[in-house]
Amino acid sequence: MQADTATDTGGFRHDLLVGARVVDVAVLCAVPAVLVAVFTLPAEVRRSFAFAYTDPTLPTAFTAHYVHLRATHLAGNLVGYGLLAGVGYALAVLGDRRRFFLTALATFLLAFPFVLSALNLAVPRNAIGFGFSGINMALLGLLPLLLWGYARERFASDASVRPLPAAFFLLVGWIALLALPVSTTGVGIAGLATAAAGLAVGVVYALSAGVELRLPTRDLLRTVTSRPGYGDLFVAGGVLLVGYPIVGFPADPTGTGRVVNLYVHLLGFCLAFIGAFVLLAGDVVDE
């Protein structure tokens, strides 16, 4: 048994190292390097890069997403990026979705800043927007698709892409429950109603897609847990998918002395999932 475990672990590390590319790692590391480099600029310069909703410009629509005014804000986004991009890339490499991941990442880094900033103007206010969290939430939106690809490659080769929208609705319901705590009055009712709607729509969609709703079988659980490394990565991805929204959608968005832009966070998550799902379901990106 000990010999088998060692072999499995070695296989996991070997497959990950063989599948990864030096240029990919360089690109992944370049993002935090840019964020840190921008943070070293004088405060007034960084503030000029922020996106002013009352005076929007095309350059700041992009630069705002790479600017942080506080070290704690930067540190939080760096940790989030490290977890989401690191786990996501590992899932993509071992799930035979490397090109899919890199295409999505390039879109998030280059195009999403403009899209998120433009959609932000739909909520008029005298404020500025800045920070990388919207792109981090896009990486979170990509995570369910990477988990599906990884599970299909490593554990269940017959896994269909059709149930994925059901997971999306369930996650939106979970996000609503986090961002709008349950109460019997005001927005608390909206949060509970949205969560219930997400659950209902997710279940109905799954049934319409021909998915059998049942708990994981003992054989599937044994398959995941009996493969050190591979199973651990799958569990880590699942925990990150459920746990990271707790950070991205706090119940009190003003509790840290700044206003967390929940609207941009939700946009990043939803747009990333929908766009990536279209690519995945249409088999647009060849591996």
Side-chain angles (χ1 to χ4, degrees):
M1 179 64 71
Q2 291 178 349
D4 291 340
T5 299
T7 301
D8 286 343
T9 303
F12 171 79
R13 294 173 180 171
H14 175 266
D15 288 348
L16 184 58
L17 290 174
V18 169
R21 301 288 185 271
V22 174
V23 65
D24 298 347
V25 177
V27 170
L28 291 173
C29 293
V31 174
V34 169
L35 296 179
V36 172
V38 172
F39 188 73
T40 62
L41 297 172
E44 59 272 16
V45 175
R46 282 181 279 138
R47 184 173 289 274
S48 70
F49 288 160
F51 187 70
Y53 302 129
T54 57
D55 185 25
T57 67
L58 192 61
T60 58
F62 180 83
T63 59
H65 294 269
Y66 294 89
V67 169
H68 299 82
L69 302 183
R70 295 184 180 182
T72 53
H73 188 199
L74 172 64
N77 278 334
L78 287 176
V79 172
Y81 172 79
L83 289 171
L84 293 166
V87 172
Y89 181 69
L91 289 169
V93 168
L94 296 175
D96 197 25
R97 290 285 181 266
R98 172 180 163 271
R99 186 172 298 177
F100 172 72
F101 173 83
L102 294 175
T103 301
L105 179 64
T107 303
F108 299 159
L109 295 175
L110 300 177
F112 263 45
F114 296 108
V115 175
L116 295 178
S117 294
L119 292 175
N120 232 328
L121 297 177
V123 185
R125 56 204 183 279
N126 185 15
I128 59 173
F130 55 90
F132 195 76
S133 53
I135 300 176
N136 273 347
M137 294 308 300
L139 288 169
L140 180 67
L142 184 67
L143 190 56
L145 310 178
L146 297 174
L147 278 168
W148 168 84
Y150 181 73
R152 177 167 179 160
E153 183 71 18
R154 297 293 170 177
F155 304 117
S157 59
D158 59 343
S160 172
V161 71
R162 294 180 63 191
L164 282 176
F168 170 75
F169 292 122
L170 292 175
L171 288 168
V172 169
W174 169 234
I175 288 171
L177 201 59
L178 292 171
L180 302 172
V182 177
S183 71
T184 57
T185 60
V187 296
I189 295 178
L192 182 60
T194 305
L199 176 61
V201 173
V203 171
V204 170
Y205 183 92
L207 291 173
S208 67
V211 179
E212 295 182 15
L213 298 178
R214 63 174 185 268
L215 294 175
T217 64
R218 183 176 301 178
D219 290 341
L220 179 58
L221 290 175
R222 185 183 297 115
T223 299
V224 174
T225 58
S226 66
R227 302 189 65 189
Y230 299 102
D232 295 338
L233 178 60
F234 183 77
V235 171
V239 170
L240 186 60
L241 180 62
V242 176
Y244 194 79
I246 299 175
V247 177
F249 296 92
D252 182 8
T254 62
T256 59
R258 56 186 175 83
V259 179
V260 178
N261 195 332
L262 301 181
Y263 173 64
V264 164
H265 289 193
L266 183 61
L267 282 176
F269 173 81
C270 293
L271 291 176
F273 181 95
I274 294 170
F277 176 75
V278 171
L279 292 178
L280 188 64
D283 199 21
V284 175
V285 180
D286 295 327
E287 296 295 332

